Amino acid sequence: MKLVILYLFPFLHYWGFRYVGFNLTIVKALYFVAIPLMTLYVANTLFQKKQSVLFNKMRTITLLIFISIIVAFLFHGQSISLGYRATASVLGILFYFYLNKTNFTIKELECFIWVNVCVYFFLWLYALYQAPIPIFSVDQDRQLNDDRGIFRIAIMNRACIMMALFYSVNRWIVIKKKIFLVLSILMFVLIVLMTIRQYIVISAFVVTFYLFKKIRYIWLYAIMGLLLLNFVSISIPKDTILGRLIELSERQAIDNKYGETNVRILEYEYYFFEFPQNVITSLLGNGIPHSDSSYGLKESRLNDVKRFFRSDVGYANLYLLIGIVGILVVFQLIYYTIKYKVNDEMVYAKMFMFYVALANIASAAFTFDILFVCIAVYLIDKSKSQVLLLNKKLS
């Protein structure tokens, strides 16, 4: 039964991946029922005393998310029911406490990651085959086009690809099997095919950072490679995916150079300094607006007039959701997950949290990919406990 819930809850959390063939109202309703049921199921675990530092941070974030629904009601007049519906996606954080209660093994969760990779790849291929007809409702708000060299398709569980990339690179370094090098390349190709520049750059940076720490003299190879580039002219065709992404980046760089401030900087400035606040909402957040409430209508006007979106600025989004208190706890959570010592085979979970910390600057990676954040935190905590137990036996 626990495996059924392990796979069913994410399916409902992603609203059936927003496949247009499903009745979205029914899928949403099932998820809205699943959240209170999950809350009741993990309640004893949620409020257990003497838990780990990471568990306590996740618990604090969860409680602040629940409190944000009340804050939105008190200060923005958004009803509790609409607040719950708007916040339900972020309440996927309850998945972490389910993992703790059922005590999943590392192998079971690694299998979960790779099953998600297969699901992602199948859905992506099917959506690509049907393009430009949108197969997922998340794509219906925008025109599917191939101006980046390929159709940009949004699959809800995309974070599994990043985690699988870090897993494969980690395993390749630790056990030296070439199959993991091949998987690493395949996962990175899938990330490139997402055509989201920051995901490509940040994933490559995290992998490079890890390799520089693990491979002896790689810095020498890097210098030799850079020197070689001075003598070799590499031209990337403009009609390829990378060529079009580079061209888009160059155009935006020129726009910024001639006085057009990057929109994400403007968004951060607005949400942190100009968005209406008081002491309580600054500390505890404003909650997530629902489109059917007056609070949501204000947000919609902001989207339409200024073209500002919370999803573009992850840390501002967290600040608006759970306030200064919440964002400080998130920073602590990320710090400890990266700091803790784990088994060599589990470093990929730390790499994923490092990736989330960087990606959340210009996207809502922490909240959008909350299920895989839960998995990464759980795996790090479990591995840390194993390391401590081993050290205790040896001492």
Side-chain angles (χ1 to χ4, degrees):
M1 184 63 183
K2 74 173 189 177
L3 287 174
V4 172
I5 298 175
L6 176 68
Y7 288 92
L8 179 61
F9 184 80
F11 177 79
L12 295 177
H13 172 80
Y14 295 131
W15 297 349
F17 295 92
R18 300 192 184 187
Y19 174 58
V20 293
F22 294 146
N23 186 316
L24 194 58
T25 302
I26 294 176
V27 178
K28 281 184 179 182
L30 290 173
Y31 181 60
F32 293 153
V33 172
I35 288 294
L37 291 177
M38 180 66 83
T39 305
L40 290 173
Y41 184 72
V42 303
N44 291 338
T45 303
L46 180 61
F47 293 105
Q48 279 181 355
K49 296 181 179 179
K50 295 183 180 179
Q51 291 291 341
S52 68
V53 172
L54 296 184
F55 184 98
N56 289 335
K57 300 305 176 188
M58 292 291 282
R59 173 165 53 194
T60 302
I61 295 168
T62 304
L63 295 177
L64 286 170
I65 292 171
F66 276 109
I67 291 171
S68 74
I69 298 174
I70 300 172
V71 175
F73 169 69
L74 294 175
F75 294 97
H76 295 286
Q78 179 169 270
S79 69
I80 298 296
S81 61
L82 288 179
Y84 167 68
R85 287 164 58 187
T87 312
S89 61
V90 189
L91 288 173
I93 196 171
L94 292 167
F95 192 57
Y96 171 78
F97 304 100
Y98 175 71
L99 299 178
N100 275 274
K101 184 178 180 68
T102 49
N103 194 28
F104 278 97
T105 66
I106 291 173
K107 291 297 181 185
E108 286 173 324
L109 291 183
E110 288 176 347
C111 179
F112 174 84
I113 293 167
W114 286 104
V115 167
N116 269 269
V117 169
C118 294
V119 170
Y120 175 95
F121 186 58
F122 170 78
L123 294 178
W124 183 83
L125 282 179
Y126 179 61
L128 185 65
Y129 174 74
Q130 295 290 337
I133 300 171
I135 296 302
F136 305 104
S137 60
V138 70
D139 289 323
Q140 287 183 325
D141 294 333
R142 57 187 175 83
Q143 177 100 22
L144 274 181
N145 59 63
D146 57 354
D147 59 350
R148 298 191 178 206
I150 194 171
F151 289 103
R152 186 177 182 179
I153 298 166
I155 310 294
M156 301 294 288
N157 68 338
R158 65 190 180 194
C160 68
I161 304 299
M162 288 73 169
M163 188 167 275
L165 167 66
F166 303 141
Y167 173 91
S168 301
V169 172
N170 185 200
R171 285 301 166 91
W172 173 53
I173 293 298
V174 173
I175 65 177
K176 304 294 190 298
K177 285 189 176 180
K178 292 182 179 178
I179 181 62
F180 291 111
L181 175 59
V182 174
L183 286 173
S184 300
I185 295 170
L186 290 176
M187 292 305 104
F188 187 71
V189 168
L190 287 178
I191 293 173
V192 171
L193 293 175
M194 292 179 189
T195 69
I196 302 176
R197 287 165 296 165
Q198 64 164 319
Y199 294 165
I200 299 169
V201 172
I202 293 172
S203 298
F205 174 78
V206 173
V207 169
T208 303
F209 184 81
Y210 172 71
L211 294 178
F212 264 82
K213 291 181 65 176
K214 291 297 180 180
I215 299 180
R216 182 180 293 184
Y217 303 128
I218 192 174
W219 57 270
L220 183 59
Y221 304 145
I223 293 174
M224 291 173 63
L226 291 173
L227 290 174
L228 183 62
L229 287 177
N230 287 328
F231 299 98
V232 178
S233 177
I234 298 178
S235 178
I236 299 177
K238 289 188 177 182
D239 58 347
T240 63
I241 296 174
L242 286 177
R244 294 195 183 186
L245 291 175
I246 291 171
E247 185 179 16
L248 178 61
S249 299
E250 289 173 345
R251 286 202 307 268
Q252 291 180 343
I254 292 171
D255 290 341
N256 292 336
K257 181 179 178 181
Y258 288 99
E260 293 187 18
T261 306
N262 187 287
V263 67
R264 283 182 170 85
I265 296 175
L266 296 175
E267 287 171 326
Y268 267 108
E269 290 175 348
Y270 176 82
Y271 285 124
F272 271 108
F273 304 114
E274 298 179 37
F275 190 87
Q277 301 280 340
N278 58 51
V279 174
I280 295 177
T281 57
S282 293
L283 290 174
L284 300 178
N286 292 269
I288 299 177
H290 191 281
S291 57
D292 291 340
S293 70
S294 58
Y295 180 30
L297 291 176
K298 291 178 183 178
E299 180 86 356
S300 297
R301 284 195 294 269
L302 181 65
N303 298 158
D304 295 336
V305 176
K306 287 183 174 289
R307 306 302 296 168
F308 287 174
F309 300 91
R310 295 188 188 206
S311 57
D312 288 343
V313 280
Y315 290 108
N317 180 51
L318 286 172
Y319 169 65
L320 291 166
L321 170 61
I322 50 180
I324 295 172
V325 175
I327 202 169
L328 288 176
V329 177
V330 170
F331 284 148
Q332 289 176 323
L333 173 72
I334 292 172
Y335 170 75
Y336 285 118
T337 54
I338 295 174
K339 173 189 174 184
Y340 280 159
K341 290 184 178 180
V342 297
N343 297 322
D344 287 344
E345 295 84 358
M346 199 51 56
V347 173
Y348 71 89
K350 296 177 63 172
M351 294 168 69
F352 180 78
M353 290 304 294
F354 185 29
Y355 158 82
V356 168
L358 297 176
N360 200 60
I361 296 172
S363 73
F366 186 89
T367 52
F368 187 90
D369 300 325
I370 190 66
L371 295 189
F372 286 92
V373 170
C374 292
I375 291 172
V377 174
Y378 175 80
L379 290 174
I380 291 167
D381 214 11
K382 198 171 187 67
S383 182
K384 175 179 174 288
S385 299
Q386 291 176 352
V387 170
L388 291 175
L389 183 62
L390 180 61
N391 291 338
K392 188 175 181 180
K393 287 181 179 179
L394 294 175
S395 61

